[in-house]
Amino acid sequence: MILNFVMTILDRPRAEEMIQLCREHDAALTLTMLGRGTATNEQLDLYGLESAEKAIVCTFAGEEQTAKLLKAAKRRLFIDIPGNGIMLAIPLKSVGGGKTLAFLTGGTAADTSAAPGNFEHELITVIANEGHTDAVMDAARSAGAAGGTVMHAKGTGAQRAEKFLGVSLADEKELIIIVSRSSEKAGIMRAINSAAGPGTRAGAVCFSLPITAVAGLRMLEDD
């Protein structure tokens, strides 16, 4: 059984509905983080929208449990309809200890090394200096990214590492997550690194994680 880290990004008022779904599907641990969308002011003005405050609801689920959660989110939260959120599953490579694994899986054995090798989508994660989300997203959109979600964070890097390529590690940060097609991932990451990477004021570093299942990208797939 593959163990996934299941992440759902949706408007904050709907977070409790997703948390309730996790409870109903016997999720052992559910975490909720706050974030915001990355739509530009021009985009918001064009469609008459307000800046969307987001919630990121995360839990752990086995392969079958993940499928059931996805199905329930589609039925009750309409998560597969554009504008209602994005849900994705990231396979875990390892878990710290047998007791932790038993807790997260309800005692069911999990093979965390058995995740498939081919992925249609990936989660690009960008860590940038505070106030530079627009620079990161402008670069990402130029390479085909549809949008992202940003969360506030604080670096805790070692003092000796703060001068590495001009990136201050122990400083206020913004964590930006972007779901992309695997075929577009490299181009998006290159664009971010070129326009907003180490050595720039944004000082962004980025990496990607595989996604085994996703819902809410119907508009992206139609394109």
Side-chain angles (χ1 to χ4, degrees), residues 6 31 64:
V6 182
L31 308 171
E64 183 177 347

Side-chain angles (χ1 to χ4, degrees), residues 22 25-30 59-60 65 102-106:
C22 293
H25 287 78
D26 300 320
L29 177 64
T30 302
T59 192
F60 300 86
Q65 192 179 19
F103 171 71
L104 295 178
T105 63

